[in-house]
Amino acid sequence: MGKDIEVGGEHGGGKDYQDPPPAPLIDVEELGKWSFYRAIIAEFIATLLFLYVTVLTVIGYKSQSAADQCGGVGILGIAWAFGGMIFVLVYCTAGISGGHINPAVTFGLLLARKVSLVRAVLYMVAQCLGAVCGCGLVKAFQKAYYVRYGGGANELADGYSTGTGVAAEIIGTFVLVYTVFAATDPKRNARDSHVPVLAPLPIGFAVFMVHLATIPITGTGINPARSFGAAVIYGKDKAWDDQWIFWVGPFVGAAIAAIYHQLVLRARSSKSFGSFKSSY
């Protein structure tokens, strides 16, 4: 086991890594920067592409398996589609927007003071709009299959209680957001610099593994924008019946992951964790 050493020691104050400063609650300066709006556009496009590819995969699998029970990509293929797209899109957008592509991830990073409140809210709006547009493209291209096979909308499977569904979403989102924190932790990157890790890879793999576990229960949400976009475009009451599960579960899971990483693993004080500095 390697020692957890910060260069410079207690009295020297030096570290072999540097944490970014906490984000302010409201950063007026970023509202006047093109990079801020470019990041919002990147989140919109990334979520659009994510929903387009993944929902199209779900619809394709259901249409193929309806004709042949052994046909289609199966649950494994669907999980790969979701995990693979997250890997690709986080890789493409990490340097522009941070590659959130998920309101729950954005919420967790907000609680950890990685992003400002204004940026978090606009990211979530962009992600939800992107999800709606992505599902809209799927419906436009394959309307008959889209309507027939449920539009890729999340719903609680028969035989599972509401509590089980919420718990599955909480745990699944915890795994994802915890992985995001771990993969982007500057302390880990400095300490394990001899082990090159491409951050989008473990994040995408976390999405893949969670889908394998929870597709039979909820169809796997862990991303409120994904569930919201599919429900809006599918438009039937059935898609909205359990919608709250796919918001409450992911946000609770993200909050737990943020608290665990920041207050337990990184041993930050609750005062530092909970307070925001306004830029006013």
Side-chain angles (χ1 to χ4, degrees):
M1 297 289 290
K3 295 181 179 180
D4 189 4
I5 299 175
E6 296 180 359
V7 177
E10 180 180 355
H11 303 288
K15 297 179 180 179
D16 61 349
Y17 67 96
Q18 184 174 0
D19 285 311
L25 178 60
I26 300 175
D27 189 350
V28 176
E29 292 183 359
E30 70 179 356
L31 296 176
K33 296 179 180 178
W34 163 242
S35 60
F36 176 69
Y37 299 100
R38 180 179 61 190
I40 294 171
I41 294 171
E43 286 293 310
F44 170 81
I45 296 297
T47 314
L48 184 156
L49 295 174
F50 176 61
L51 267 293
Y52 172 73
V53 171
T54 54
V55 172
L56 200 58
T57 302
V58 171
I59 299 300
Y61 161 66
K62 288 185 176 180
S63 65
Q64 292 172 333
S65 61
D68 179 4
Q69 291 185 349
C70 296
V73 296
I75 290 179
L76 183 63
I78 293 173
W80 272 123
F82 278 88
M85 279 304 291
I86 287 297
F87 168 71
V88 170
L89 293 170
V90 171
Y91 179 83
C92 292
T93 60
I96 301 171
S97 65
H100 297 192
I101 322 172
N102 185 336
V105 171
T106 300
F107 180 67
L109 294 174
L110 171 66
L111 293 181
R113 303 180 64 188
K114 304 293 186 182
V115 295
S116 69
L117 176 61
V118 174
R119 181 180 289 265
V121 170
L122 292 180
Y123 270 22
M124 291 180 191
V125 171
Q127 290 156 359
C128 289
L129 290 177
V132 170
C133 292
C135 291
L137 286 177
V138 177
K139 185 175 182 178
F141 293 156
Q142 294 196 5
K143 184 174 182 179
Y145 285 149
Y146 186 90
V147 174
R148 185 185 308 168
Y149 297 112
N154 288 119
E155 60 183 59
L156 187 63
D158 294 336
Y160 292 97
S161 67
T162 300
T164 300
V166 173
E169 290 296 308
I170 291 174
I171 296 171
T173 310
F174 173 86
V175 172
L176 169 59
V177 178
Y178 174 40
T179 303
V180 170
F181 277 110
T184 59
D185 189 340
K187 182 176 182 179
R188 188 204 62 80
N189 290 338
R191 184 175 56 193
D192 301 334
S193 59
H194 60 287
V195 183
V197 176
L198 188 63
L201 182 59
I203 295 171
F205 201 70
V207 172
F208 165 70
M209 296 302 296
V210 170
H211 274 75
L212 286 181
T214 58
I215 282 177
I217 303 173
T218 62
T220 308
I222 69 171
N223 184 336
R226 174 260 185 273
S227 303
F228 176 76
V232 168
I233 298 301
Y234 186 54
K236 296 187 178 181
D237 291 341
K238 187 177 181 181
W240 291 102
D241 290 343
D242 301 318
Q243 184 67 201
W244 68 272
I245 293 175
F246 303 104
W247 285 86
V248 173
F251 274 91
V252 172
I256 295 173
I259 292 170
Y260 174 62
H261 186 268
Q262 297 297 101
L263 300 185
V264 177
L265 300 186
R266 293 303 303 274
R268 292 200 177 180
S269 68
S270 58
K271 181 178 179 180
S272 173
F273 180 81
S275 62
F276 281 93
K277 174 184 177 183
S278 175
S279 61
Y280 281 125

